[in-house]
Amino acid sequence: MNRLLKICMAALVGGCLLHAAPLRAADPYEPSPENREARKQFAESRFGIFLHWGIYSLFGQGEWYLSNAGLDPAEYAKAAGAFYPHRFDARAWVTAFKQAGARYVCLTSRHHDGFSMWLTDQSAYSMAATPFGRDIVGELADECHRQGLGFHLYYSLIDWTRTDYPAGWTGHGKGHAGEADYDAYFDFMKRQLSELLTRYGRVDCIWLDGMWDHNRDSTAFAWRMEELYDHIHALQPACLIGNNHHIAPLPGEDIQIFERDVPGENKAGLSAGQPVARLPLETCQTMNGSWGYAVADRRYKPTAALIRLLARTAGKGANLLLNVGPQPDGALPEKSLTRLDSMGRWLARYGETIYGTEAGPWHAGDSIVTTRRGNRLFLHVLSPNVEEVELPVPFRVRSVRTLADDSTPRHTAHNGLLRIYGLEIDRSCPDYVIEIK
Ligand code: GLC
């Protein structure tokens, strides 16, 4: 059996084209110097942890339960009175994320159900309505700052509980009736964002979601996003703005988000409308199939698949924002913790091939991706079936080295073609990394 992977020029060109798509509209927004610096830092960090946590976790059916089950928001809201996550320990959480090799954390501050995970003055429907009474956003912010992890906040643009939010195609549960008033709702969001951006020190990113709620309207819905972006940047110029709207980036955004898709792919069916832009990129993905805690969802991806996903996103020059759905008692699911631990051990060894790298010039489907750091190219062989690789090399090859054991794999390099052969990859190896100088 000789499984040869010839990586042709087409792949090389494809890899280069990936960053060439222009923004859809001319972008009049000029990021501030501190924002540019923050983008650079973000793009170097490559791995973050997404946290979907809220009173929806109590139901154990994911964060869309209110909408999916067509519930009355007032009945659903009673769960706040039972939210007492006594095992919540920001220090232990952040320690686990740091050990996993993550460089930042993104917490759902307020999801589509409208419940705020901090002690907001703008609504009674918040942590203040729970017997726990503690400020989750604040505790996590402090701990991220203390341990040197970036602190990002997810913030939903839609609200299935407030009646002033003009409902789109989601959240049509019983009892959700009232006078829609987007101007009033918009001001509410601005006031909440002011709290988030003035109370908790540095917030590295505001991660918006929900614009797709009005993508089925017959006339365009006026979200006034540029105004909201100006508001965020006026409060914290370095704060990166990302919006999970599944379309090309809008003026004022600092990063581009891909939901459940590696940039340039459309496997989840959510990325058809978004070409890859010249912004720092982020792919968010679940560890099992759900964002919020889902008691019946045992379909956890194997650790090897998560490591490969991290390599594949890095190979596209993107970060991976990997989700954990904390339990209602405040503990992190055991299956998530074991995966994080293994990823941390892998990154401790191979982190130099991921952090601070750029997209490499070659990729071949899901089997091979490359990352690059200066004159070092890292070939990530993600399938144990590959025995031989041929790469076009428009440069002089100085050395070829297998990182796992510092050995030199058999290879030839002439006529602009590097051939690496005789590879014997252990089936348990998630990512066989070869460094080419
Ligand atoms: C989708 C879902 C939302 C989730 C988000 C994470 O927008 O509606 O529940 O928070 O994806 O990427």
Side-chain angles (χ1 to χ4, degrees), residues 215-268:
N215 65 8
R216 300 179 187 174
D217 296 6
S218 51
T219 52
F221 183 83
W223 284 102
R224 299 166 55 195
M225 273 306 104
E226 280 186 64
E227 227 180 293
L228 200 67
Y229 296 169
D230 285 348
H231 178 68
I232 293 168
H233 283 140
L235 291 163
Q236 290 204 25
C239 179
L240 302 176
I241 296 175
N243 194 330
N244 184 35
H245 43 40
H246 307 158
I247 55 175
L250 301 171
E253 293 171 10
D254 303 300
I255 64 167
Q256 186 180 19
I257 295 167
F258 292 81
E259 180 178 340
R260 297 180 190 260
D261 268 318
V262 166
E265 292 182 353
N266 185 28
K267 290 185 182 169

Coordinates of all heavy atoms in Angstrom, one line a residue, residues 215-268:
N215 N -33.0 37.6 8.5 CA -32.5 37.4 7.1 C -33.6 36.8 6.2 O -33.4 36.5 5.0 CB -31.2 36.6 7.0 CG -31.4 35.2 7.5 OD1 -32.5 34.7 7.8 ND2 -30.3 34.4 7.7
R216 N -34.8 36.6 6.8 CA -35.9 36.2 6.0 C -37.0 37.2 5.7 O -38.0 37.0 5.2 CB -36.6 34.9 6.6 CG -35.6 33.8 6.8 CD -36.3 32.6 7.4 NE -35.3 31.5 7.7 CZ -35.5 30.4 8.4 NH1 -36.7 30.2 8.8 NH2 -34.5 29.6 8.6
D217 N -36.7 38.4 6.2 CA -37.7 39.6 6.1 C -37.8 40.0 4.6 O -36.8 39.8 3.9 CB -37.2 40.8 6.9 CG -37.2 40.5 8.4 OD1 -37.4 39.4 8.8 OD2 -36.9 41.5 9.1
S218 N -38.9 40.5 4.3 CA -39.1 41.0 2.9 C -38.3 42.3 2.6 O -37.9 42.5 1.5 CB -40.6 41.1 2.5 OG -41.2 41.9 3.5
T219 N -38.2 43.1 3.6 CA -37.4 44.3 3.5 C -36.2 44.3 4.5 O -36.4 43.7 5.6 CB -38.2 45.6 3.7 OG1 -38.8 45.5 5.0 CG2 -39.2 45.8 2.7
A220 N -35.1 44.9 4.2 CA -34.0 44.9 5.0 C -34.3 45.4 6.4 O -34.9 46.5 6.5 CB -32.8 45.6 4.4
F221 N -33.9 44.8 7.4 CA -34.0 45.2 8.8 C -32.9 46.2 9.1 O -31.7 45.9 8.9 CB -34.1 44.0 9.7 CG -34.3 44.4 11.2 CD1 -35.6 44.6 11.6 CD2 -33.3 44.6 12.1 CE1 -35.9 44.9 12.9 CE2 -33.5 44.9 13.4 CZ -34.8 45.1 13.8
A222 N -33.2 47.3 9.7 CA -32.2 48.3 10.0 C -31.6 48.1 11.4 O -32.1 48.6 12.4 CB -32.8 49.7 9.9
W223 N -30.6 47.3 11.4 CA -29.9 47.0 12.7 C -29.2 48.1 13.3 O -28.8 48.1 14.5 CB -29.0 45.8 12.5 CG -29.6 44.4 12.4 CD1 -29.8 43.8 11.2 CD2 -30.2 43.6 13.4 NE1 -30.5 42.6 11.4 CE2 -30.7 42.4 12.8 CE3 -30.3 43.7 14.8 CZ2 -31.3 41.4 13.5 CZ3 -30.9 42.7 15.5 CH2 -31.3 41.6 14.9
R224 N -28.8 49.1 12.5 CA -27.9 50.2 13.0 C -26.6 49.7 13.6 O -26.1 50.2 14.6 CB -28.7 51.1 14.0 CG -30.0 51.7 13.4 CD -30.9 52.2 14.4 NE -30.3 53.2 15.3 CZ -30.8 53.6 16.5 NH1 -32.0 53.1 16.9 NH2 -30.2 54.4 17.3
M225 N -26.0 48.7 12.9 CA -24.8 48.1 13.5 C -23.7 49.1 13.6 O -22.9 49.1 14.6 CB -24.4 46.9 12.7 CG -25.1 45.6 13.1 SD -24.9 45.2 14.8 CE -26.5 45.6 15.4
E226 N -23.5 49.9 12.6 CA -22.3 50.8 12.6 C -22.4 51.7 13.8 O -21.3 52.0 14.4 CB -22.2 51.6 11.3 CG -21.6 50.9 10.2 CD -21.4 51.7 9.0 OE1 -20.6 52.6 9.0 OE2 -22.1 51.4 7.9
E227 N -23.6 52.1 14.2 CA -23.7 53.0 15.4 C -23.3 52.2 16.7 O -22.7 52.7 17.6 CB -25.2 53.3 15.5 CG -25.5 54.7 15.8 CD -27.0 54.9 15.8 OE1 -27.7 54.8 14.8 OE2 -27.5 55.2 16.9
L228 N -23.7 50.9 16.7 CA -23.4 50.1 17.8 C -21.9 49.9 17.9 O -21.2 49.9 19.0 CB -24.1 48.7 17.8 CG -24.2 48.0 19.1 CD1 -25.1 48.7 20.0 CD2 -24.8 46.6 18.9
Y229 N -21.3 49.6 16.7 CA -19.8 49.4 16.7 C -19.1 50.7 17.1 O -18.1 50.6 17.9 CB -19.4 49.0 15.2 CG -19.9 47.7 14.7 CD1 -19.8 47.4 13.3 CD2 -20.6 46.8 15.5 CE1 -20.3 46.2 12.8 CE2 -21.1 45.6 15.0 CZ -20.9 45.4 13.6 OH -21.4 44.2 13.1
D230 N -19.6 51.8 16.7 CA -18.9 53.1 17.1 C -19.0 53.2 18.6 O -18.0 53.6 19.3 CB -19.6 54.3 16.5 CG -19.3 54.5 15.0 OD1 -18.3 53.8 14.6 OD2 -20.0 55.3 14.3
H231 N -20.1 52.8 19.2 CA -20.3 52.9 20.6 C -19.3 52.0 21.3 O -18.6 52.5 22.3 CB -21.8 52.5 20.9 CG -22.1 52.5 22.4 ND1 -22.2 53.6 23.1 CD2 -22.4 51.4 23.2 CE1 -22.5 53.3 24.4 NE2 -22.6 52.0 24.5
I232 N -19.1 50.8 20.9 CA -18.2 49.9 21.5 C -16.8 50.4 21.4 O -16.0 50.5 22.3 CB -18.3 48.5 20.8 CG1 -19.7 47.9 21.1 CG2 -17.2 47.6 21.2 CD1 -20.0 46.6 20.3
H233 N -16.4 50.8 20.2 CA -15.0 51.3 20.0 C -14.8 52.6 20.7 O -13.6 52.9 21.1 CB -14.7 51.5 18.5 CG -14.5 50.2 17.8 ND1 -15.0 49.9 16.5 CD2 -13.8 49.1 18.2 CE1 -14.6 48.7 16.2 NE2 -13.9 48.2 17.2
A234 N -15.8 53.4 20.9 CA -15.6 54.7 21.7 C -15.3 54.3 23.1 O -14.5 55.0 23.8 CB -16.9 55.6 21.6
L235 N -15.9 53.3 23.6 CA -15.7 52.9 25.0 C -14.3 52.2 25.2 O -13.6 52.4 26.2 CB -16.8 52.0 25.5 CG -18.2 52.7 25.7 CD1 -19.3 51.7 25.8 CD2 -18.1 53.6 27.0
Q236 N -14.0 51.3 24.3 CA -12.7 50.6 24.3 C -12.2 50.4 22.9 O -12.6 49.5 22.2 CB -12.9 49.2 25.0 CG -13.2 49.3 26.5 CD -12.7 48.0 27.2 OE1 -11.9 47.2 26.8 NE2 -13.4 47.8 28.4
P237 N -11.4 51.3 22.5 CA -10.9 51.3 21.1 C -10.2 50.0 20.7 O -10.3 49.6 19.5 CB -9.9 52.5 21.0 CG -10.2 53.3 22.1 CD -10.8 52.5 23.2
A238 N -9.6 49.3 21.6 CA -8.9 48.1 21.3 C -9.8 46.9 21.2 O -9.4 45.8 20.8 CB -7.8 47.8 22.3
C239 N -11.0 47.1 21.7 CA -11.9 45.9 21.8 C -12.3 45.5 20.4 O -12.8 46.3 19.5 CB -13.2 46.3 22.5 SG -14.4 45.0 22.6
L240 N -12.1 44.2 20.1 CA -12.3 43.7 18.7 C -13.8 43.4 18.6 O -14.4 42.9 19.6 CB -11.5 42.4 18.5 CG -10.0 42.5 18.6 CD1 -9.4 41.2 18.5 CD2 -9.5 43.5 17.6
I241 N -14.4 43.7 17.5 CA -15.8 43.4 17.2 C -15.9 42.3 16.2 O -15.3 42.3 15.1 CB -16.6 44.6 16.8 CG1 -16.6 45.7 17.9 CG2 -18.0 44.2 16.4 CD1 -17.2 47.0 17.4
G242 N -16.6 41.2 16.6 CA -16.9 40.1 15.6 C -18.4 40.0 15.6 O -19.1 40.2 16.6
N243 N -19.0 39.6 14.5 CA -20.4 39.4 14.4 C -20.7 38.1 13.6 O -20.3 38.0 12.5 CB -21.1 40.6 13.7 CG -22.6 40.7 13.9 OD1 -23.2 39.6 14.0 ND2 -23.1 41.9 13.9
N244 N -21.4 37.2 14.3 CA -21.7 35.9 13.7 C -22.9 36.0 12.8 O -23.9 35.3 13.0 CB -21.9 34.9 14.9 CG -22.1 33.5 14.4 OD1 -21.5 33.1 13.4 ND2 -22.9 32.7 15.0
H245 N -22.8 36.8 11.8 CA -24.0 37.0 10.9 C -24.0 36.2 9.7 O -24.9 36.2 8.9 CB -24.1 38.5 10.6 CG -22.9 39.2 10.2 ND1 -21.9 38.6 9.4 CD2 -22.4 40.4 10.5 CE1 -20.9 39.4 9.3 NE2 -21.1 40.5 10.0
H246 N -22.9 35.4 9.5 CA -22.8 34.5 8.3 C -22.7 35.2 7.0 O -23.0 34.6 5.9 CB -24.0 33.5 8.3 CG -24.2 32.7 9.6 ND1 -25.4 32.1 9.9 CD2 -23.4 32.5 10.6 CE1 -25.3 31.6 11.1 NE2 -24.1 31.7 11.5
I247 N -22.5 36.5 7.0 CA -22.3 37.2 5.7 C -20.9 37.9 5.7 O -20.2 37.8 6.7 CB -23.4 38.3 5.5 CG1 -23.4 39.3 6.7 CG2 -24.7 37.6 5.2 CD1 -24.4 40.4 6.5
A248 N -20.5 38.5 4.6 CA -19.2 39.1 4.6 C -19.1 40.2 5.6 O -20.1 40.8 6.0 CB -19.0 39.8 3.2
P249 N -17.9 40.5 6.2 CA -17.8 41.5 7.2 C -18.3 42.8 6.9 O -18.3 43.3 5.7 CB -16.3 41.6 7.4 CG -15.7 40.3 7.0 CD -16.6 39.9 5.8
L250 N -18.9 43.5 7.9 CA -19.5 44.8 7.7 C -18.5 45.8 8.2 O -17.6 45.5 9.0 CB -20.8 44.9 8.5 CG -21.9 43.9 8.2 CD1 -23.0 44.0 9.2 CD2 -22.4 44.2 6.7
P251 N -18.6 47.1 7.7 CA -17.7 48.1 8.2 C -17.7 48.2 9.7 O -18.8 48.2 10.3 CB -18.2 49.4 7.5 CG -18.9 48.9 6.3 CD -19.5 47.6 6.7
G252 N -16.6 48.3 10.3 CA -16.5 48.5 11.8 C -16.2 47.2 12.5 O -15.9 47.2 13.7
E253 N -16.2 46.0 11.8 CA -15.8 44.8 12.4 C -14.3 44.5 12.3 O -13.7 44.9 11.3 CB -16.6 43.6 11.7 CG -18.1 43.8 12.0 CD -19.0 42.8 11.2 OE1 -18.4 41.9 10.5 OE2 -20.2 43.0 11.2
D254 N -13.8 43.9 13.3 CA -12.3 43.7 13.4 C -11.9 42.2 13.2 O -10.7 42.0 12.9 CB -11.9 44.1 14.8 CG -12.2 45.5 15.2 OD1 -11.8 46.4 14.4 OD2 -13.0 45.7 16.1
I255 N -12.8 41.3 13.4 CA -12.5 39.9 13.1 C -13.7 39.3 12.3 O -14.8 39.8 12.3 CB -12.3 39.1 14.4 CG1 -13.6 39.0 15.2 CG2 -11.2 39.7 15.2 CD1 -13.5 38.0 16.3
Q256 N -13.4 38.2 11.6 CA -14.4 37.5 10.9 C -14.7 36.1 11.5 O -13.7 35.4 11.8 CB -14.0 37.3 9.4 CG -15.2 36.8 8.6 CD -14.8 36.6 7.1 OE1 -13.7 36.5 6.7 NE2 -15.9 36.4 6.3
I257 N -15.9 35.8 11.7 CA -16.3 34.6 12.4 C -16.9 33.6 11.4 O -17.7 34.0 10.6 CB -17.4 35.0 13.5 CG1 -16.7 35.9 14.6 CG2 -17.9 33.7 14.1 CD1 -17.8 36.5 15.5
F258 N -16.5 32.4 11.6 CA -17.1 31.3 10.9 C -17.7 30.3 11.9 O -17.0 29.7 12.7 CB -16.1 30.6 10.0 CG -15.6 31.4 8.9 CD1 -14.6 32.4 9.2 CD2 -16.1 31.4 7.6 CE1 -14.1 33.2 8.2 CE2 -15.6 32.2 6.6 CZ -14.7 33.1 6.9
E259 N -19.0 30.0 11.7 CA -19.7 29.1 12.7 C -19.6 27.7 12.2 O -20.1 27.4 11.1 CB -21.1 29.6 12.9 CG -21.9 28.7 13.9 CD -23.3 29.1 14.2 OE1 -23.6 30.2 13.9 OE2 -24.0 28.2 14.6
R260 N -19.0 26.9 13.0 CA -18.9 25.4 12.7 C -18.2 25.1 11.3 O -18.4 24.1 10.7 CB -20.2 24.7 12.7 CG -20.9 24.7 14.0 CD -22.3 24.0 13.9 NE -23.1 24.2 15.0 CZ -23.3 23.3 16.0 NH1 -22.7 22.2 16.0 NH2 -24.1 23.5 17.0
D261 N -17.4 26.1 10.8 CA -16.8 25.9 9.5 C -15.3 26.4 9.6 O -15.1 27.5 10.2 CB -17.5 26.7 8.4 CG -18.5 25.8 7.7 OD1 -18.2 24.6 7.5 OD2 -19.6 26.3 7.4
V262 N -14.4 25.7 9.0 CA -13.1 26.2 8.8 C -13.2 27.2 7.7 O -13.9 27.0 6.7 CB -12.1 25.1 8.5 CG1 -10.8 25.5 8.0 CG2 -11.9 24.2 9.8
P263 N -12.6 28.4 7.8 CA -12.7 29.4 6.8 C -12.5 28.9 5.4 O -11.5 28.1 5.1 CB -11.6 30.5 7.1 CG -11.5 30.3 8.6 CD -11.7 28.9 8.9
G264 N -13.4 29.2 4.5 CA -13.2 28.8 3.1 C -14.0 27.5 2.8 O -14.2 27.1 1.7
E265 N -14.5 26.8 3.9 CA -15.3 25.6 3.7 C -16.8 26.0 4.0 O -17.0 27.0 4.6 CB -14.9 24.5 4.7 CG -13.5 24.0 4.4 CD -13.1 22.9 5.3 OE1 -13.8 22.6 6.3 OE2 -12.0 22.3 5.1
N266 N -17.6 25.1 3.6 CA -19.1 25.4 4.0 C -19.7 24.0 4.3 O -20.7 23.7 3.8 CB -19.8 26.1 2.8 CG -21.2 26.5 3.2 OD1 -21.5 26.7 4.3 ND2 -22.1 26.5 2.2
K267 N -19.1 23.3 5.2 CA -19.6 22.0 5.6 C -20.8 22.1 6.4 O -21.7 21.2 6.3 CB -18.5 21.2 6.3 CG -17.3 20.8 5.4 CD -16.3 20.0 6.2 CE -15.1 19.6 5.3 NZ -14.0 19.0 6.0
A268 N -20.9 23.1 7.2 CA -22.1 23.2 8.1 C -23.2 23.9 7.4 O -24.3 24.1 8.0 CB -21.7 23.9 9.4

